[in-house]
Every structure is written in structure tokens, then in C-alpha cells.
Amino acid sequence: MDSAASDTLAAHEPAALPEEEGAQPWQSDLSRAPISTKIVVAGGFGAGKTTLVGAVSEISPLRTESLMTEASAATGDDDLGPVPQKATTTVAMDFGRITLDDDLVLYLFGTPGQARFWFMWDDLVRGAVGVVVLADTRRLDDCFPALDYVEGCGLPYVVAVNHFDGSERFEADEVREALDVPAHVPVLVMDARRRISVVETLLALVRHACDNAPE
């Protein structure tokens, strides 16, 4: 190849962006495309979905929270129960992003928990590699709709037991038995407020999804 041709090819190669502190390799080298994966976080009202997304998102998370009113409380959908201090609720979705393993980018979508918003789940799970189902041990029944939904869709999922301060502690096997979760589905005990705990949960889901991907 002559020098003119080499110069022409070089001119068309993607240029490297200036490296910034904390930037990922794929952000400074346009020739390296990241692998992006969509993960959905589901569960009952007040189970910690918004907290989970916010704990790990490397961008300012998008939240669609609105103040709860007496009208919504009257529907029975917003039963505060063990969370009497909760004043807002997600009415569309939470959205965040986290980069793992250099070139793996996870996009997180948190679902609204109340029954009146379930019609949005079909759109939120479209294209997702899997689902994290958050379980609040103070009211385990609230995660059954999410479990029924993901099992009906055939989506890979993990159950993440989010213990709250002052709540009774249960082992993962106890929660598995109470929820009748199949043996091959991971059940983890985690804290939605702690970044490392959430990252471990997300990695467990990615591994589980890869293990169950069609060959």
C-alpha cells in the first residue's frame, strides 16, 4: 500500500477523544463500542427500587416521583403500612446507568410498584436481559405480581431481599421457600442503599441471564 493510500485510511479512522479523569476506555476511543444491556428493577410499592437505581447510577438518575395524595391512598394502592414516612411514589419509571468491566454498560429501569401502573411494564421490559425483583420482608406478598409477570414472560430474574432497618432478618433460603422461587433462580440478601451490594446483585443477574441464554 502506498503512502497516499495509508494517509487516506488514517484520515478516516475514528479519532481518540482526550482522556478525562474517571473516563472509561470506550469513552476516549471511538473505535471501541461498549456492550449495552438493559436491566429492569421491579417489586412492590416502597421496596427500594428508586433507592437501588440511585445508589449505583453514574449519572444523575431520572426519577418520575410525585407526591402522594389522599385520593391515591383511598385506592388502597398506596398502602404505607411499614413506610408511613414515604411521601412520594414513582409514577412512570426510574432510569440510571452504570459501567462495569470497562466496556459493559448497564441501563437500569425501575418500574412503578402499584397496580394502577402495571400497564407500563410491557414497555419497560422490552429488550431487557433480565429483571431484579426486590423483596421487602415486611410485606413479601407485594412482590408476587412482579414474580408472576417475569415468569410469565420467560425473562431471567433474580430475587433481591432488601432488608430495612428494624425489619426481621431472614436468610435467602427462607425467602426462597416463602416465595416458592425455583432452585435455579438466585436469591440474594442485599442493601439497596449500598453501591457494592447493588453491583453484586446486578452482576448476579447478568451471570444468570448468560447462563440461561439460548445457545
Side-chain angles (χ1 to χ4, degrees):
M1 181 182 296
D2 59 33
S3 59
S6 298
D7 292 342
T8 301
L9 287 176
H12 287 82
E13 290 179 353
L17 296 178
E19 291 192 6
E20 297 181 6
E21 184 177 354
Q24 300 297 328
W26 59 268
Q27 292 173 312
S28 58
D29 183 356
L30 297 183
S31 67
R32 298 177 60 180
I35 299 172
S36 59
T37 298
K38 178 180 180 181
I39 287 177
V40 172
V41 183
F45 169 68
K49 300 180 293 295
T50 299
T51 300
L52 183 152
V53 173
V56 295
S57 181
E58 63 197 16
I59 60 174
S60 296
L62 168 66
R63 296 190 172 110
T64 56
E65 292 193 308
S66 293
L67 289 172
M68 291 185 293
T69 65
E70 292 183 4
S72 68
T75 66
D77 237 3
D78 297 339
D79 179 15
L80 296 179
V83 286
Q85 74 283 0
K86 186 173 176 61
T88 61
T89 185
T90 299
V91 296
M93 67 175 183
D94 299 307
F95 173 76
R97 185 190 72 198
I98 177 174
T99 303
L100 301 173
D101 295 337
D102 291 338
D103 296 341
L104 175 61
V105 181
L106 304 182
Y107 293 98
L108 308 178
F109 291 78
T111 67
Q114 298 96 318
R116 65 182 182 274
F117 299 124
W118 289 350
F119 69 91
M120 289 186 282
W121 287 13
D122 287 342
D123 289 328
L124 289 176
V125 303
R126 188 174 292 117
V129 69
V131 180
V132 174
V133 177
L134 273 183
D136 179 353
T137 57
R138 299 170 299 178
R139 40 184 181 180
L140 280 177
D141 289 354
D142 286 1
C143 69
F144 277 120
L147 290 173
D148 291 342
Y149 182 86
V150 294
E151 288 176 354
C153 291
L155 281 168
Y157 70 97
V158 300
V159 175
V161 184
N162 184 27
H163 280 307
F164 286 79
D165 292 338
S167 64
E168 187 175 355
R169 300 282 162 162
F170 294 93
E171 298 297 325
D173 287 342
E174 295 178 287
V175 175
R176 179 188 300 279
E177 182 177 358
L179 297 177
D180 195 23
V181 177
H184 71 280
V185 174
V187 177
L188 311 98
V189 176
M190 53 87 73
D191 187 336
R193 300 168 299 182
R194 297 181 59 242
R195 186 178 191 276
I196 186 62
S197 184
V198 175
V199 168
E200 289 172 351
T201 299
L202 297 175
L203 288 174
L205 174 61
V206 171
R207 286 193 293 267
H208 179 58
C210 289
D211 290 343
N212 290 273
E215 295 184 359

